[in-house]
């Protein structure tokens, strides 16, 4: 009789299991060969995980509505990419062109259905308008265009990923492409979404391991080399443990930030930054598409939808003043009906502590020590400080208006400011009181500035260059804006009174709300004033006041930055959160420079200094001082009806540590995984103890032996006797051969020997040996399962059987006619 193990080995060597020898059950399925993937379906699964972890980050960022369409688009791109990579009939360029056309049509169809109820002509009109804006250096905020581009990019990302893996055989390049998209989106998400990065890295590293192993198999096969059947599983198992260990170690290692190196990446001359600026200009989101953030500052200010500010701590500030000063990052001078931008600027580099002359007279000094906790989103490394900054404790670049109206922004010279950066800003804050501002005439009634005289600033004269720059208005401005501004300021005698009248009107007639949906084709200020239902947030309030002021001859601009935040008595510093990101209006008063106004309804107005308040040595006081001279508690200027709310009284150090220590999140994730593993182990132990409990000891022990051996890949065959199966087990693990033979012998005699004979284990007393043998054998068997997890291959087959309702009739606990 032939040895059963030898016959099985001969069959495996001589027969191609994938083709079934050209006969059998699969011979009548002509399409089965097309479903076969040479690299294996597990590699395709890993490719899909890499792609979808990237797509999930895009959907989580919530850039625009209807991003759920990305799920189907990505599937289509991935399937087409795999098919295109495997076909050999058509040329690559013809395939790419056809795929691109199909992707454009698919994205166009999905976008039209999402935003225009399937009307493709309306989408075409919107696309044409967007192209004209892009070519004319305009700013667009049409959400449908953004969705169209995102859908197309998602489709192409999936297609290109499949092509790089299955055609060009460069999975590392596919991983790089997806990593760029993933990191861009994670940069705009809360730290909890770092889980997407963990999934991405795990799948990417396993894909590289799996692909390189497959390439090695092909090379070994061509060279005629033999290798173990389960070597792939051994490599993948080791790779999984090594990958997880590498990921855990990378998160536990301390972070390293080099400002000089980061400056190379964030400098404005960087081609990536320039491309990003162009993208942000032609694709500016409207509606509710802005992801959660703690402030985002660029050289354009778009009148769009919900800013979606969160409660992340951004800065902590210690100041020598009363703490009422806002942190100004940059200002804008050009209104385009869709938002604000800055005209050409003068640029000058200054050293640390190098003093710049203030724009106005009658000022007092205020120093702020600012610590970066969570850097805001910035197009450039802007340095925030109180208005009229004169020096910084770090080297900086000062950008000034070419009109001579002072600095527009300060930027760090060494690139973006990472967390824990600290700098000190010195500002000459205006000391002008209400009476002094009342004395400044309107620009239309002031005498012309003497030509050719380099005279100091004077309340009498206005620089015509300043007026030209800060009275600018677009030619197609809605005439209702000017009519409303004239009506509001008609009874105001002075320029300050007119500015105050505009501020008061907006605060009393409009409600602060971030639930904004402005039509993309309407003037932002006109829509806010006449069609918004009198609702808007700070960008709209500040823009409306600045535009109305300009329409009646008052030079004005919009400033962006942060409010003073909340005072924390324990740490004696001001805590500025993402919800404190803000925009407000500044009016230019000859001789005094830019004066802040607060038109937003939910924020308290700026208080003006009292006459001679800062002329004495006791000028600055710890608390804020109102116009009536009444100090406010701790200098806190409360937000009235703030829709986001403040969190005063929190322990700042605790909150900062919780938000800045990303390792805490990793610990939570690992703790959750460990808890899941422990629960699974507990359930398995309960199931394992109850397994075969209805059978005798010999059958139970031999049954557990067969089950564990089958999980490790040594499957019992219907033709095998217990002795033959024990020999197969012994061949796979010779170190336990003696124990296996002894256990198999006891089991056979227990099942088939005469119960009354002396050979029966009950009569010979050998049953007592089973417990000891099983205790020594069981750990070895479990370890073998871990080393050779063949049961993972059996899971799809078992699931298929379960779904098919296959029921097998049992003939006993461990009949040799059945597989275990």
């Amino acid at each position: 009789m032939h040895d059963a193990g030898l016959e099985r080995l001969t069959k495996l060597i001589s027969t191609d299991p994938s083709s079934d020898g050209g006969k059998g059950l699969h011979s009548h399925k002509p399409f089965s060969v097309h479903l076969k993937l040479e690299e294996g379906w597990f590699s395709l699964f890993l490719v899909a995980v890499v792609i979808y972890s990237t797509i999930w980050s895009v959907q989580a960022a919530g850039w625009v509505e209807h991003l759920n369409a990305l799920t189907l688009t990505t599937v289509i791109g991935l399937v087409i990419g795999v098919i295109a990579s495997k076909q050999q009939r058509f040329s690559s360029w013809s395939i790419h062109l056809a795929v691109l056309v199909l992707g454009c049509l698919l994205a166009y169809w999905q976008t039209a259905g999402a935003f225009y109820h399937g009307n493709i002509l309306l989408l075409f009109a919107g696309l044409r308008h967007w192209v004209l804006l892009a070519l004319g250096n305009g700013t667009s905020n049409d959400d449908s265009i953004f969705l169209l581009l995102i859908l197309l990019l998602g489709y192409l990302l999936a297609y290109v990923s499949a092509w790089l893996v299955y055609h060009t055989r460069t999975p590392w390049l596919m991983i790089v492409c997806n990593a760029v998209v993933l990191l861009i989106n994670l940069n705009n998400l809360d730290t909890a979404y770092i889980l997407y990065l963990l999934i991405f890295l795990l799948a990417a590293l396993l894909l590289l391991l799996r692909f390189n192993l497959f390439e090695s198999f092909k090379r070994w096969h061509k060279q005629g080399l033999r290798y173990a059947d389960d070597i792939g599983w051994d490599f993948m198992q080791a790779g999984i443990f090594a990958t997880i260990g590498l990921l855990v170690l990378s998160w536990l290692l301390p972070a390293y930030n080099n400002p000089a190196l980061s400056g190379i990446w964030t400098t404005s001359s960087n081609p990536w930054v320039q491309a990003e600026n162009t993208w942000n200009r032609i694709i500016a989101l409207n509606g509710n598409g802005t992801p959660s953030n703690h402030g985002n500052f660029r050289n354009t200010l778009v009148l769009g939808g919900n800013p979606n500010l969160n409660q992340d701590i951004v800065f902590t500030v210690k100041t020598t003043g009363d703490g009422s000063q806002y942190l100004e990052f940059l200002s804008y001078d050009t209104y385009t009906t869709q938002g604000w931008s800055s005209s050409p600027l003068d640029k000058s580099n200054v050293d640390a502590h190098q003093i710049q002359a203030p724009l106005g007279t009658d000022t007092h000094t205020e120093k702020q020590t600012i610590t970066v906790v969570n850097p805001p989103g910035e197009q450039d490394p802007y340095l925030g400080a109180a208005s009229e900054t004169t020096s910084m404790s770090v080297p900086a670049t000062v950008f000034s208006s070419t009109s001579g109206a002072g600095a527009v922004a300060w930027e760090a010279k060494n690139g973006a400011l990472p967390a824990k950066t600290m700098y000190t800003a010195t500002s000459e804050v205006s000391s002008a009181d209400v009476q002094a501002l009342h004395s400044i005439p309107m620009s239309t009634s002031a005498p012309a500035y003497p030509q050719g005289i380099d005279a100091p600033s004077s309340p009498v004269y206005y620089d015509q260059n300043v007026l030209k720059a800060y009275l600018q208005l677009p030619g197609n401005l809605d005439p209702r804006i000017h009519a409303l501004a004239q009506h509001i300021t008609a009874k105001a005698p002075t320029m300050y009174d007119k500015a105050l009248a505009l501020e008061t009107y907006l605060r009393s007639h409009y409600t602060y709300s971030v639930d904004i949906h402005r039509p993309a084709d309407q003037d932002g200020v006109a829509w806010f004033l006449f069609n918004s239902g009198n609702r808007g947030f700070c960008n709209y309030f500040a823009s409306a006041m600045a535009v109305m002021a300009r329409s009646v001859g008052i030079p004005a601009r919009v400033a962006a930055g942060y409010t003073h935040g909340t005072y924390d008595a324990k740490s004696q510093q001001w805590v500025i959160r993402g919800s404190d990101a803000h925009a407000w209006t500044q009016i230019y008063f000859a001789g005094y420079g830019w004066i802040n106004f607060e038109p937003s309804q939910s924020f308290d107005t700026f208080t003006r200094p009292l006459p001679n308040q800062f002329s004495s040595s006791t000028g600055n006081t710890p608390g804020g001082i109102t116009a009536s001279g009444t100090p406010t508690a701790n200098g806190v200027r409360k937000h009235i009806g703030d829709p986001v709310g403040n969190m005063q009284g929190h322990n700042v150090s605790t909150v900062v540590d919780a938000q800045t220590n990303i390792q805490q999140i990793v610990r939570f994730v690992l703790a959750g995984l460990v808890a899941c593993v422990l629960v699974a182990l507990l359930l398995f132990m309960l199931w394992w103890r109850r397994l075969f409990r209805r059978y005798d000891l010999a059958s139970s022990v031999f049954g557990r032996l067969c089950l564990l051996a089958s999980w490790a890949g040594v499957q019992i065959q219907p033709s095998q006797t217990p002795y033959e199966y024990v020999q197969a087990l012994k061949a796979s693990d010779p170190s336990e051969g003696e124990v296996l033979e002894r256990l198999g012998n006891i089991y056979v005699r227990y099942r088939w020997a005469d119960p009354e004979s002396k050979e029966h284990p009950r009569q010979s007393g050998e049953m007592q040996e089973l417990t000891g043998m099983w205790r020594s054998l069981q750990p070895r068997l479990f370890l073998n399962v871990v080393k050779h997890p063949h049961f993972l291959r059996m899971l799809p087959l078992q699931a298929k059987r379960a779904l098919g309702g296959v029921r097998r009739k049992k003939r006993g606990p461990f009949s040799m006619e059945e597989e275990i």
Side-chain angles (χ1 to χ4, degrees):
M1 183 177 69
H2 293 86
D3 183 81
L6 182 60
E7 289 181 356
R8 186 178 69 165
L9 179 61
T10 304
K11 183 178 180 181
L12 291 174
I13 295 175
S14 60
T15 306
D16 184 4
S18 62
S19 64
D20 200 23
K23 302 176 182 179
L25 295 176
H26 301 286
S27 61
H28 64 282
K29 296 182 179 180
F31 60 88
S32 61
V33 66
H34 299 292
L35 297 178
K36 183 177 182 298
L37 196 63
E38 183 185 15
E39 294 82 0
W41 294 107
F42 185 61
S43 66
L44 180 60
F45 169 77
L46 293 176
V47 171
V49 171
V50 170
I51 296 173
Y52 268 97
S53 59
T54 304
I55 297 301
W56 292 335
S57 70
V58 176
Q59 293 174 325
W63 298 103
V64 70
E65 295 178 344
H66 309 295
L67 281 176
N68 56 316
L70 269 174
T71 303
L72 175 61
T73 305
T74 305
V75 169
I76 296 175
L78 180 59
V79 172
I80 292 177
V82 174
I83 296 175
S85 302
K86 295 299 182 181
Q87 68 83 33
Q88 298 180 353
R89 174 174 297 183
F90 304 101
S91 65
S92 298
W93 287 110
S94 61
I95 287 292
H96 294 336
L97 181 60
V99 167
L100 179 60
V101 172
L102 178 61
C104 292
L105 294 176
L106 177 63
Y108 192 91
W109 170 69
Q110 288 184 301
T111 305
F115 279 95
Y116 298 98
H117 304 287
N119 193 325
I120 60 176
L121 295 180
L122 288 179
L123 177 57
F124 180 79
L127 186 61
R128 179 177 177 276
H129 177 69
W130 172 76
V131 172
L132 294 177
L133 284 175
L135 295 178
N137 203 33
T139 300
S140 171
N141 59 350
D142 189 347
D143 287 359
S144 64
I145 304 301
F146 188 83
L147 179 64
L148 174 66
L149 295 178
I150 285 294
L151 290 176
L152 180 60
L153 290 176
Y155 168 86
L156 292 178
L157 179 65
Y159 170 77
V160 171
S161 297
W163 184 269
L164 292 175
V165 172
Y166 295 111
H167 187 83
T168 65
R169 323 297 289 181
T170 52
W172 62 269
L173 186 55
M174 182 274 289
I175 293 171
V176 171
C177 294
N178 283 268
V180 171
V181 180
L182 176 67
L183 293 178
I184 290 175
N185 287 276
L186 289 182
N187 190 50
N188 294 277
L189 288 171
D190 292 334
T191 52
Y193 288 98
I194 202 70
L195 180 62
Y196 290 152
L197 180 60
L198 296 177
I199 296 174
F200 175 89
L201 292 176
L202 180 61
L205 293 175
L206 290 179
L207 176 63
L208 291 175
L209 177 64
R210 175 71 178 174
F211 197 83
N212 288 331
L213 186 62
F214 169 76
E215 295 293 324
S216 298
F217 284 164
K218 290 180 61 178
R219 185 172 63 256
W220 295 341
H221 183 72
K222 289 181 179 179
Q223 295 173 351
L225 301 177
R226 300 185 62 182
Y227 50 87
D229 293 337
D230 58 353
I231 189 174
W233 288 99
D234 291 341
F235 269 85
M236 292 303 295
Q237 175 188 340
I240 290 174
F241 287 119
T243 300
I244 294 176
L246 181 63
L247 293 178
V248 173
L249 180 63
S250 65
W251 285 112
L252 296 179
L253 290 175
Y256 173 74
N257 292 312
N258 190 316
L261 294 179
S262 64
I264 299 176
W265 178 254
T266 58
T267 179
S268 58
S269 60
N270 189 311
W272 171 261
V273 174
Q274 294 176 351
E276 185 181 13
N277 295 344
T278 304
W279 171 266
N280 290 324
R281 176 178 60 83
I282 63 176
I283 298 295
L285 294 178
N286 190 32
N288 295 322
T290 305
S292 175
N293 67 94
H294 47 261
N296 203 332
F297 301 96
R298 303 188 179 279
N299 60 9
T300 58
L301 182 72
V302 177
L303 296 178
N306 188 349
N308 202 11
L309 300 172
N310 57 36
Q311 288 289 341
D312 292 348
I313 295 179
V314 188
F315 303 104
T316 58
V317 179
K318 292 187 177 181
T319 178
T320 59
D322 60 9
S324 63
Q325 296 298 318
Y326 287 1
L327 286 188
E328 182 179 335
F329 275 67
L330 68 166
S331 60
Y332 307 95
D333 61 3
T334 304
Y335 180 64
T336 63
T337 74
Q338 299 296 316
W340 293 83
S341 62
S342 296
S343 58
L345 303 171
D346 289 330
K347 175 181 176 181
S348 61
N349 296 323
V350 296
D351 297 328
H353 303 291
Q354 182 177 340
I355 298 177
Q356 302 295 297
L359 179 63
T361 59
D362 193 8
T363 61
H364 60 277
T365 303
E366 182 165 334
K367 291 186 177 181
Q368 298 166 304
T369 301
I370 302 162
T371 302
V372 181
V373 179
N374 285 305
E378 295 182 312
Q379 176 178 316
D380 297 302
Y382 300 117
L383 295 167
S387 300
E388 297 296 336
T389 304
T390 56
S391 68
M392 292 282 183
S393 63
V394 294
T397 301
V398 182
F399 290 87
S400 304
S401 171
T402 55
S403 65
V408 170
W410 288 64
E411 294 181 9
K413 292 180 63 176
N414 294 328
L417 300 177
K420 299 183 180 180
T421 299
M422 181 184 297
Y423 64 93
T424 299
T426 303
S427 302
E428 292 298 324
V429 179
S430 176
S431 302
D433 55 59
V434 173
Q435 182 178 355
L437 296 176
H438 271 300
S439 66
I440 305 301
M442 286 285 294
S443 60
T444 54
S445 59
Y449 193 85
Q451 296 295 325
I453 300 178
D454 188 14
S457 298
S458 169
V460 179
Y461 299 111
Y462 277 95
D463 191 326
Q464 295 302 310
N465 292 325
V466 173
L467 295 181
K468 181 179 179 181
Y470 292 97
L471 289 177
Q472 170 273 338
L473 288 172
N476 59 342
L477 187 70
D478 192 321
R480 293 179 297 172
I481 298 176
H482 175 62
L484 177 61
Q486 281 188 320
H487 173 72
I488 296 172
T489 61
K491 298 181 180 181
T494 68
M495 189 172 78
Y496 179 76
D497 289 327
K498 292 180 185 295
L500 193 62
L502 293 173
E503 179 188 60
T504 304
Y505 177 83
L506 291 171
R507 295 177 58 84
S508 59
H509 288 78
Y510 292 82
T511 304
Y512 194 98
S513 173
V514 294
D515 186 18
I516 296 301
H517 303 273
R518 180 181 68 83
D521 58 345
Q522 294 190 24
D523 183 310
V525 169
W527 175 84
F528 169 67
L529 291 175
F530 308 112
N531 300 319
S532 66
N534 290 19
R535 296 182 305 110
F537 55 91
C538 58
N539 290 4
Y540 289 91
F541 280 93
S543 298
M545 181 175 176
V547 170
M548 286 196 295
R550 289 184 176 190
S551 71
V552 294
I554 300 175
R557 70 182 185 183
V558 171
Y562 289 87
T563 68
H564 47 70
T566 305
Y567 186 73
D568 183 78
K570 184 174 182 180
S571 61
Q572 297 184 349
Q573 60 185 357
W574 295 83
V575 181
I576 298 177
R577 302 177 183 275
S579 57
D580 295 315
H582 193 48
W584 63 98
T585 306
Q586 293 179 333
I587 303 295
Y588 184 82
F589 288 82
Y592 295 107
W594 295 104
I595 303 299
N596 294 323
F597 285 82
E598 182 54 273
S600 296
Q601 180 264 340
S602 66
F603 296 81
D604 197 3
T605 58
F606 288 97
T607 55
R608 307 299 174 201
L610 297 176
N612 301 320
Q613 177 181 340
F614 297 102
S615 60
S616 64
S617 59
T618 60
N620 292 345
T621 57
I625 301 179
T626 65
S628 62
T630 305
T632 58
N634 295 327
V636 178
R637 297 172 62 246
K638 299 180 180 178
H639 293 195
I640 303 174
D642 189 349
V644 181
N646 290 307
M647 299 174 63
Q648 185 176 357
H650 282 65
N651 188 318
V652 176
S653 60
T654 303
V655 178
V656 171
D657 291 341
Q659 293 191 354
T660 57
N661 190 3
I662 197 172
Q663 295 180 6
Q664 189 71 17
I665 299 175
V666 178
R667 294 191 185 101
F668 284 140
V669 173
L670 293 178
L673 293 176
V674 171
C676 292
V677 171
L678 292 178
V679 171
L681 288 176
L682 178 61
L683 294 176
F684 176 80
M685 290 174 60
L686 294 175
W687 172 79
W688 185 254
R689 290 177 63 88
R690 295 172 60 85
L691 188 64
F692 308 133
R693 65 186 183 279
R694 292 178 296 174
Y695 304 105
D696 55 79
L697 179 60
S699 299
S700 175
V701 170
F702 193 76
R704 293 173 189 270
L705 169 68
C706 295
L707 185 60
L708 289 177
S710 67
W711 288 353
V714 186
Q715 193 78 18
I716 192 171
Q717 302 299 322
S719 61
Q720 283 182 315
T721 66
Y723 286 130
E724 291 174 335
Y725 186 58
V726 166
Q727 291 301 316
L729 296 179
K730 180 180 177 182
S732 64
D733 190 1
S735 62
E736 298 292 339
E738 184 178 349
V739 179
L740 290 170
E741 287 185 344
R742 179 66 174 161
L743 192 151
N745 183 271
I746 293 175
Y747 170 71
V748 170
R749 287 188 287 114
Y750 180 86
R751 288 293 307 276
W752 288 283
D754 183 0
E756 302 300 330
S757 66
K758 294 182 180 180
E759 293 183 356
H760 198 278
R762 281 185 176 177
Q763 303 298 331
S764 63
E766 293 173 298
M767 292 293 292
Q768 299 178 0
E769 299 179 21
L770 287 177
T771 303
M773 285 191 295
W774 180 244
R775 287 178 178 174
S776 64
L777 191 60
Q778 182 176 231
R780 183 83 178 184
L781 293 172
F782 273 111
L783 180 61
N784 200 38
V785 171
V786 174
K787 294 175 60 178
H788 307 282
H790 184 78
F791 67 93
L792 295 176
R793 303 182 184 181
M794 301 167 55
L795 291 179
L797 179 60
Q798 295 296 334
K800 181 179 179 180
R801 289 179 178 177
L803 293 175
V806 177
R807 297 293 183 268
R808 303 182 65 179
K809 184 178 179 180
K810 296 183 179 180
R811 299 181 181 179
F814 301 105
S815 175
M816 291 298 101
E817 289 81 13
E818 295 181 343
E819 293 185 26
I820 297 180

